[in-house]
Amino acid sequence: MSVRPKKDATRGLRLNMMIDLINKKTPYGGVTVKELMDKFEVSERQIHRDLNTIVNEMRVPLIKHERVIEGSKRTCYCLEVGYLPSLSPEKATVLFLSLLQQKGSALTGHLNELKDALVSTLFKYHYDPKELAVEKLQNRIHLVEETLVEPERVGEMFSKLVQALKDCHRVKIRYFVTHSQRETERVVEPYGLICKRQNWYLVGKCLTRNAIRVFRVDQIRDVFPYTSEKYQYPADFNLKKYMAHSWGVINDGEVCRVRLKFNHRVAHRVKNLIYHPSQVLEEELPDGSIIVSFMVCGIKEMKTWIVQWGDNVEVLEPGWLREDMCKLAKGIWQVYRDAN
C-alpha cells in the first residue's frame, strides 16, 4: 500500500515548482494565474493563497502587472529580482567561484554587486546557504592571479569600450605606448576584445595608422566616446579568424612553424595542456623528452613564454628563432655577470 505524502510536503513542493515556473517565464513577461491553475491543477483561490505565501512567508518578491494576451488583459506575475537561471547547487558554486577569480581584473567594478545578487537571490530562494557553504569556500580558496593596481579605473575604461563595441561608434583614447614610454592620442573603431590571463585588449582600426591595432586596456589612460560618429563594422572581419594563428594578442601576419624540444622533466606538463590550437606532439623520444610543433605568428610574445621554461626547452626550428633565443640568453647572462 503506497503512502501518500503529507499535505504540507505536497504544498511545499508545489510552491517551489511555482517559483521555478515564474522564474522561467519572467524573461517572457511572467506567468498568469490561469497558467498556474492549469499547471498545478488547483483552484484560483488556492493559487492566490500560494502566491501570498511566496511573497510574505518565503520572502520572494514578485511583480504583478497587466499584459494583453490574445486580445484580453491578463494579470501576470514575475520575479522582482529578474530572471534566475536554473542551476544546481554545484553549478551555482562554480559560478560563485568564477566571480571570485575576476577579483582585481577590469571586471572587478561590479564584482561585489554580482556576488551579493547571487547570494541574496539564487542561494537565498533556491538553496540552503549552509548547503553551499559560500563563506567557507571563500575562506578556503586562495587564488594566485595577477591583479591590476587600479581595477576600478580600468573597469570604467572597459565599460566604455564595450558600449562603443555594441553601438559601433568611434572612440578617442589616450594610450601609453610601452616601447616609446609616451602617451599618444588615437581615434579607434572598436572591432573586438581579447582576454589573455585576465588582461583585456582592444582590437580595432586605428584611424591614425589606418590599420588594425591591438591596445592593452590597462594602458588606456582615458576613453572619449564619439557617440555621434558611427562606423560600419567590416563584413569581412572575423575576430576569431584574425587571431587564429596568434600566439598571444599580436597578429603580425607572419605565420611560421616552430618546433620545440622539452626534456623529460617537463614533458608530462606539456602533454597535459594545449598552449595553442595548432599544437602537435610530433615525437616522444627514448629519454622521455618530446618534440612539439606550432604554426603561429606573433613570435615576439612566444619568446617570453619559451624563456619561462629555462633550460627545460630547446628551440629546434626555425633557425632564426634559435639564434634569437641564444642572444636573449646571453643578454640575461650579461645582466647577472655585470651585477657580480
Side-chain angles (χ1 to χ4, degrees), residues 138-149:
Q138 194 166 353
N139 292 331
R140 294 186 180 183
I141 290 180
H142 177 64
L143 301 174
V144 181
E145 298 283 356
E146 295 178 354
T147 58
L148 296 169
V149 175

Side-chain angles (χ1 to χ4, degrees), residues 84-95:
L84 299 175
S86 179
L87 297 174
S88 65
E90 294 77 16
K91 290 180 180 178
T93 301
V94 170
L95 179 59

Side-chain angles (χ1 to χ4, degrees), residues 181-307:
Q181 295 291 294
R182 292 182 179 180
E183 191 174 280
T184 63
E185 282 194 356
R186 315 281 185 91
V187 176
V188 180
E189 295 179 347
Y191 284 177
L193 289 161
I194 305 169
C195 184
K196 176 187 175 185
R197 299 190 185 94
Q198 291 192 296
N199 291 311
W200 287 90
Y201 299 80
L202 170 68
V203 179
K205 183 177 180 180
C206 174
L207 300 189
T208 306
R209 300 287 187 267
N210 194 31
I212 296 177
R213 291 288 187 266
V214 177
F215 305 92
R216 184 162 162 149
V217 173
D218 62 309
Q219 290 179 206
I220 296 176
R221 303 305 194 202
D222 210 344
V223 176
F224 304 94
Y226 287 172
T227 55
S228 61
E229 294 190 19
K230 301 284 186 175
Y231 67 91
Q232 187 68 37
Y233 192 89
D236 60 347
F237 181 81
N238 182 293
L239 184 61
K240 290 184 178 180
K241 289 183 179 179
Y242 180 77
M243 300 303 301
H245 291 291
S246 300
W247 178 259
V249 299
I250 297 174
N251 180 349
D252 54 18
E254 300 175 9
V255 179
C256 69
R257 182 167 177 255
V258 176
R259 297 178 73 240
L260 304 176
K261 179 182 177 182
F262 293 90
N263 65 31
H264 69 279
R265 294 192 297 271
V266 297
H268 66 285
R269 287 169 55 192
V270 178
K271 288 193 293 184
N272 286 337
L273 292 172
I274 301 297
Y275 295 97
H276 191 268
S278 66
Q279 180 173 320
V280 174
L281 176 59
E282 292 191 350
E283 190 175 357
E284 296 189 53
L285 303 176
D287 63 356
S289 60
I290 60 173
I291 296 176
V292 180
S293 67
F294 306 90
M295 290 296 294
V296 293
C297 62
I299 304 299
K300 183 178 180 180
E301 289 182 279
M302 192 180 196
K303 289 179 186 177
T304 61
W305 177 75
I306 294 173
V307 168

Side-chain angles (χ1 to χ4, degrees), residues 50-64:
D50 288 346
L51 291 171
N52 184 65
T53 299
I54 289 172
V55 172
N56 297 314
E57 295 182 26
M58 299 180 72
R59 304 294 183 186
V60 179
L62 298 178
I63 294 177
K64 184 170 69 171

